Amino acid sequence: MPKASHHDLRFAFRELLASGSCYHTASVFDPMSARIAADLGFEVGILGGSVASLQVLAAPDFALITLSEFVEQATRIGRVAQLPVLADADHGYGNALNVMRTVIELERAGVAALTIEDTLLPAQFGRKSTDLISVEEGVGKIRAALEARVDSALAIIARTNAGVLTTEEIIVRTQSYQKAGADGICMVGVKDFEQLEQISEHLSVPLMLVTYANPNLRDDERLARLGVRIVVDGHAAYFAAIKATYDCLRLQRGQQNKSENLNATELSHTYTQPEDYIRWAKEYMSVEE
């Protein structure tokens, strides 16, 4: 079977956005996981920023990974991927000019689409890590991203955090990003279908939701009717890999009978050492996580 080009995969992702169905992403974090996801029939994969931080740095999701590190991982995946891969490009690694560089590098890496969010990252001195930039700055980032892409098939998706805004504020932001030319709108923190309906009736571009398996949003047909084309449930595959590594090495070391048997969440917390980062943030930035 002939290998699909990066442009082919971008076109395939565009077809998903134009369809009337809702698709769930496979969490891909290296070339092997991308090949597995494609072989199992997933229509789209996602390289999450938080997962890349774990994979590359063994660090919590505190915007510590750099653009070059993220691009390197995306490039490794892009060499072999035979499904469209959506890259979580965080805030574009800086201002609108940095966003342009981010788009250029990730397009070369072979991703089919990327999200640019309006979170104020990294967290500023004395500010919370969930603060958002202004709508105007967010619009500037989307416009810059569109200017920087070469392959028009590459999808630029604007992302915002619905969990820290009123519904009215979400509508204003998402409409502004749609007007700026975003190919889709991604939202994290949508509470339920009632809120989603209120937002979606003001939008005409395809929607993407990061739900983390929110039980109040588990109805693919209803999601599809409201314009949702892509759903990110989370990154269970990577955490399962952490757990499998831990269990294998415990067994190899002859410690399988010990009472300590941590689950994937506990393992991630233990080995990313978030307490250190939180302590440093409090000491040097006065930021409460």
Side-chain angles (χ1 to χ4, degrees), residues 10 16 30 48 59 75 87-88 100 104 117 128 144 148 150 175 209 216 259 283:
R10 289 166 188 154
L16 298 183
D30 62 8
T75 301
D88 169 13
M100 297 181 79
I104 290 168
E117 64 186 78
K128 294 181 179 178
V150 175
Q175 282 187 315
L209 293 184
N216 296 321
S259 59
E283 183 171 352

Side-chain angles (χ1 to χ4, degrees), residues 25-28 46-51 88 212 232-240:
T25 60
S27 180
V28 298
I46 184 169
L47 172 59
S50 59
V51 170
D88 169 13
Y212 297 112
V232 181
D233 299 307
H235 300 286
Y238 185 71
F239 290 98

Side-chain angles (χ1 to χ4, degrees), residues 1-270:
M1 185 176 179
K3 183 178 179 181
S5 70
H6 293 156
H7 179 78
D8 293 337
L9 294 173
R10 289 166 188 154
F11 185 77
F13 184 79
R14 290 276 183 172
E15 289 186 318
L16 298 183
L17 294 183
S19 74
S21 301
C22 177
Y23 300 92
H24 292 256
T25 60
S27 180
V28 298
F29 44 88
D30 62 8
M32 184 67 77
S33 61
R35 280 182 169 161
I36 291 171
D39 186 62
L40 291 175
F42 277 91
E43 296 83 4
V44 59
I46 184 169
L47 172 59
S50 59
V51 170
S53 184
L54 287 168
Q55 177 83 344
V56 176
L57 303 175
D61 189 19
F62 288 170
L64 299 170
I65 193 169
T66 65
L67 171 60
S68 59
E69 289 168 330
F70 187 77
V71 168
E72 285 174 3
Q73 198 66 1
T75 301
R76 295 183 185 105
I77 294 169
R79 289 193 191 107
V80 306
Q82 286 298 282
L83 80 170
V85 174
L86 191 159
D88 169 13
D90 285 342
H91 62 316
Y93 299 91
N95 61 27
L97 300 184
N98 297 108
V99 167
M100 297 181 79
R101 174 75 187 283
T102 296
V103 171
I104 290 168
E105 298 298 336
L106 286 175
E107 182 173 336
R108 288 175 178 169
V111 304
L114 57 91
T115 58
I116 298 292
E117 64 186 78
D118 55 10
T119 313
L120 182 63
L121 293 175
Q124 304 298 297
F125 183 87
R127 303 285 294 273
K128 294 181 179 178
S129 59
T130 53
D131 286 344
L132 305 183
I133 60 177
S134 68
V135 176
E136 293 76 15
E137 186 176 358
V139 165
K141 285 191 170 188
I142 298 306
R143 292 179 58 229
L146 295 168
E147 173 69 22
R149 73 179 172 190
V150 175
D151 186 351
S152 60
L154 176 71
I156 307 294
I157 300 175
R159 170 173 161 166
T160 195
N161 191 334
V164 299
L165 298 169
T166 67
T167 300
E168 292 73 21
E169 289 171 326
I170 301 167
I171 292 169
V172 169
R173 279 188 180 255
T174 54
Q175 282 187 315
S176 297
Y177 300 153
Q178 175 178 273
K179 186 177 179 181
D183 297 304
I185 300 293
C186 174
M187 291 177 285
V188 61
V190 174
K191 294 178 293 186
D192 51 34
F193 276 107
E194 181 181 356
Q195 185 183 31
L196 179 59
E197 288 172 353
Q198 293 173 4
I199 299 167
S200 64
E201 67 179 356
H202 296 277
L203 299 170
S204 58
V205 294
L207 303 182
M208 171 179 166
L209 293 184
V210 181
T211 68
Y212 297 112
N214 180 351
N216 296 321
L217 292 168
R218 286 183 181 171
D219 185 334
D220 284 355
E221 291 186 3
R222 191 173 178 186
L223 288 171
R225 288 196 298 271
L226 293 174
V228 177
R229 298 293 171 258
I230 307 295
V231 173
V232 181
D233 299 307
H235 300 286
Y238 185 71
F239 290 98
I242 293 174
K243 174 63 173 170
T245 301
Y246 175 76
D247 287 344
C248 180
L249 292 178
R250 275 182 87 223
L251 181 62
Q252 182 180 341
R253 196 62 179 169
Q255 297 181 4
Q256 68 272 24
N257 294 323
K258 288 192 174 182
S259 59
E260 182 188 57
N261 187 16
L262 304 177
N263 62 38
T265 300
E266 292 167 335
L267 288 167
S268 176
H269 184 87
T270 297

